[in-house]
């Protein structure tokens, strides 16, 4: 049995603890990046390919991994900070052997542009969405409360909305069916309130409500989630746990109550596909699957290349057994807009 990328990531994380300075940094970084490598390192080595083509792999990390593959050490269960993360390589395997949800998915419902902390324009993200075969993407830049990520004011949000309208018109005139959803990742304070004028949210197609502060609290945060869900402008709870691989464990709640509330309100919880987030993770998604609340899959991409990580979110939904009619990204564009519109009339 050769080592998987997930096992190599754990060995790298433990290796980092033995060093200081550059080696510590290199091993930690490679451990995190390993979840986004598209192929199993063991297969690459077997085929005589260089590992240095992989992100975050230099000569030292490459040698470490080769040595481990030659003589596999015992790999222990990961620390809680690193538990229940899957590699992109294993996600691809799940999609190829169980259900190719990626192939049926119609769009990616979380990403950022230069309107907040993304690297490229709305149009460049849209072009990548088209290249990936999506029917739509949602541009979910940050709202004004998140200053560190260049959050948008109401004025900037409406400027972006006009740019998206013009882009959709251009696509329609070119007979393209692809559409960009006017969306937002709204910053939600610990008491569940948003940071934008309600009026500026009314013309949006989709609003994610996410927490970005007080993320290391250890007490039960069920009420915080319920307030977020009950916020009349929120359709999807973004990266619910707020965990980060090998850095932050994330928040804790009585998840069954959170998912019951989402189901009751017909709202969705996100599967954030970013390799070092994977939030919700499979274990919690199994509870969501049982309760039957809606889920939304997004990459949280900050550049076009990161949009490929959608496979991780898709594989998480497949592994957890989320039913197709619960995955909002399987809805055609018009139906998706109909769903968010129906939520507006419920409140
Ligand atoms: Zn966020």
């Amino acid at each position: 049995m050769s080592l998987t990328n997930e096992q190599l990531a754990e060995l790298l994380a433990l290796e980092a603890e033995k060093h200081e300075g550059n080696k510590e940094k290199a091993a930690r970084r490679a451990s995190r990046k390993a979840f986004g490598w598209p192929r199993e390192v063991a297969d690459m080595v077997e085929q005589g390919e260089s590992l240095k083509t992989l992100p975050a792999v230099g000569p030292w990390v490459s040698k470490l991994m080769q040595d481990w593959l030659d003589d596999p050490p015992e790999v222990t269960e990961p620390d809680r900070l690193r538990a229940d993360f899957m590699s992109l390589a294993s996600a691809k395997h799940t999609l190829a052997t169980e259900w190719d949800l990626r192939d049926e998915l119609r769009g990616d419902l979380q990403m950022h542009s230069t309107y907040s902390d993304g690297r490229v324009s709305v149009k460049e993200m849209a072009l990548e969405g088209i290249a990936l075969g999506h029917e739509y993407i949602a541009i979910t830049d940050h709202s004004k409360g998140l200053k560190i990520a260049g959050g948008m004011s109401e004025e900037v949000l409406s400027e972006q909305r006009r740019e998206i309208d013009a882009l959709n018109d251009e696509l329609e005139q070119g007979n393209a069916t692809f559409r960009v959803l006017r969306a937002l990742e709204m910053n939600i304070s610990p008491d569940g309130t948003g940071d934008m004028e309600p009026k500026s949210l009314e013309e949006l197609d989709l609003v994610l409500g996410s927490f970005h502060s007080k993320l290391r609290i250890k007490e039960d945060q069920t009420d915080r989630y319920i307030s977020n869900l009950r916020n009349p402008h929120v359709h999807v709870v973004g990266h619910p746990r707020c965990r980060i691989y090998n850095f932050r464990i994330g928040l804790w709640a009585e998840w069954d109550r959170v998912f019951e509330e989402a189901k009751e309100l017909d709202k969705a919880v996100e599967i954030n596909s970013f390799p070092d987030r994977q939030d919700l993770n499979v274990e919690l998604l199994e509870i969501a699957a049982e309760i039957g609340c809606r889920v939304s899959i997004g990459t949280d991409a900050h550049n076009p290349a990161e949009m490929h990580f959608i496979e991780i979110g898709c594989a998480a939904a497949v592994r957890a057994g989320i039913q197709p009619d619960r995955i909002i990204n399987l809805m055609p564009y018009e139906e998706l807009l109909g769903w968010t519109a129906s939520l507006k009339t419920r409140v």
Side-chain angles (χ1 to χ4, degrees):
M1 268 292 281
S2 61
L3 298 167
T4 64
N5 287 4
E6 287 146 11
Q7 290 173 316
L8 289 168
E10 182 59 20
L11 290 170
L12 285 163
L14 295 171
E15 183 71 23
E17 292 170 8
K18 297 183 202 156
H19 302 275
E20 274 175 27
N22 286 342
K23 280 189 171 172
E24 182 199 358
K25 252 192 230 155
R28 265 186 84 89
R29 184 154 177 271
S31 165
R32 181 164 49 87
K33 290 282 185 179
F35 292 93
W37 296 340
R39 294 181 50 212
E40 293 290 352
V41 168
D43 293 344
M44 293 177 72
V45 167
E46 204 179 289
Q47 284 158 33
E49 294 171 48
S50 168
L51 301 180
K52 286 175 227 160
T53 55
L54 296 170
V57 178
W60 178 63
V61 168
S62 172
K63 173 86 169 58
L64 278 175
M65 294 198 294
Q66 303 247 18
D67 289 349
W68 288 329
L69 286 163
D70 284 344
D71 183 14
E74 183 95 28
V75 188
T76 49
E77 276 297 301
D79 180 88
R80 284 197 322 143
L81 273 175
R82 302 190 290 269
D84 204 6
F85 282 86
M86 75 172 86
S87 69
L88 178 58
S90 74
K92 284 177 186 289
H93 182 75
T94 294
L95 297 175
T97 55
E98 292 183 47
W99 171 33
D100 193 357
L101 171 58
R102 167 64 188 89
D103 190 49
E104 288 177 43
L105 209 75
R106 294 173 190 267
D108 181 342
L109 294 175
Q110 171 158 209
M111 67 185 64
H112 301 268
S113 76
T114 44
Y115 273 92
S116 64
D117 57 352
R119 291 279 174 80
V120 304
S121 67
V122 168
K123 187 169 182 174
E124 284 170 89
M125 293 304 267
L127 291 174
E128 183 67 13
I130 294 170
L132 287 171
H134 289 316
E135 291 172 26
Y136 50 77
I137 55 167
I139 296 287
T140 56
D141 278 307
H142 293 287
S143 59
K144 66 182 178 187
L146 202 64
K147 297 214 165 50
I148 192 171
M152 300 177 291
S153 65
E154 286 80 358
E155 291 71 34
V156 177
L157 177 62
S158 60
E159 193 184 302
Q160 182 187 56
R161 212 170 48 220
R162 287 193 295 275
E163 184 177 321
I164 292 174
D165 287 345
L167 177 58
N168 281 334
D169 285 347
E170 192 186 316
L171 288 163
E172 201 171 345
Q173 275 155 23
N175 277 326
T177 50
F178 183 86
R179 293 290 177 269
V180 178
L181 271 76
R182 302 167 301 183
L184 180 71
E185 184 185 6
M186 182 160 66
N187 196 40
I188 302 290
S189 69
D191 67 5
T193 51
D195 61 347
M196 299 291 270
E197 288 297 330
K199 219 172 143 348
S200 78
L201 303 172
E202 275 161 21
E203 286 170 54
L204 294 176
D205 300 318
L206 182 75
V207 178
L208 275 56
S210 302
F211 302 128
H212 295 105
S213 58
K214 296 214 161 60
L215 304 179
R216 290 183 183 271
I217 289 180
K218 292 196 177 72
E219 292 77 35
D220 180 328
Q221 298 293 296
T222 307
D223 291 344
R224 186 164 162 184
Y225 287 97
I226 288 180
S227 312
N228 186 353
L229 283 162
R230 288 183 184 169
N231 183 314
H233 302 286
V234 170
H235 306 128
V236 177
V237 177
H239 50 68
R241 288 179 61 186
C242 305
R243 71 171 186 165
I244 306 278
Y245 176 77
N246 211 13
F247 174 71
R248 188 173 63 218
I249 190 90
L251 299 171
W252 182 80
E254 287 178 64
W255 294 106
D256 51 347
R257 280 183 57 208
V258 174
F259 303 147
E260 293 276 8
E261 183 74 17
K263 188 178 183 206
E264 177 69 29
L265 296 169
D266 198 28
K267 294 189 177 184
V269 289
E270 188 186 45
I271 307 179
N272 190 298
S273 314
F274 207 85
D276 60 13
R277 284 192 178 268
Q278 305 196 28
D279 179 8
L280 294 164
N281 53 311
V282 175
E283 194 183 341
L284 294 186
L285 285 168
E286 282 170 351
I287 305 173
E290 204 164 298
I291 288 168
C293 66
R294 291 187 190 264
V295 303
S296 168
I297 304 177
T299 54
D300 208 348
H302 286 66
N303 62 52
E306 290 171 355
M307 288 168 73
H308 290 261
F309 297 144
I310 197 82
E311 289 169 303
I312 291 179
C314 290
V318 171
R319 288 186 191 183
I322 304 284
Q323 292 302 305
D325 72 341
R326 300 286 80 195
I327 301 171
I328 67 171
N329 317 50
L330 286 174
M331 287 193 261
Y333 175 72
E334 297 292 342
E335 198 182 321
L336 182 60
L337 297 191
W339 168 64
T340 57
S342 77
L343 294 179
K344 284 172 195 163
T345 61
R346 285 168 74 113
V347 292

